[in-house]
Amino acid sequence: MENQFVIGNSYTIEDIEKEGFKKVKQTSVVMFCRKDNVLLAFDIPKPQAPKIHKLLVITND
């Protein structure tokens, strides 16, 4: 499966969901999204940019 996400880039929740990823868990620091066997970890938006999530990690299981 080809991944169009790049670690360090920022995405909106709409961009993430458009690619088929679903939010599975959110902590006070990180939001996790999953599609099939790919798990993405994003930071929580800052008050200055409340709809922008920065991609921290991509992992396959």
Side-chain angles (χ1 to χ4, degrees), residues 2-51:
E2 188 174 318
N3 189 354
Q4 67 287 344
F5 292 102
V6 177
I7 294 174
N9 286 1
S10 298
Y11 303 94
T12 64
I13 195 70
E14 291 82 17
D15 294 336
I16 298 165
E17 290 176 346
K18 182 175 68 173
E19 296 301 326
F21 286 86
K22 303 280 187 213
K23 184 167 104 174
V24 292
K25 184 172 182 167
Q26 182 170 333
T27 67
S28 60
V29 181
V30 180
M31 175 182 74
F32 297 96
C33 296
R34 175 176 289 283
K35 176 182 172 185
D36 300 330
N37 66 337
V38 179
L39 182 68
L40 306 176
F42 294 90
D43 71 346
I44 300 303
K46 309 296 184 256
Q48 300 89 343
K51 295 185 179 192

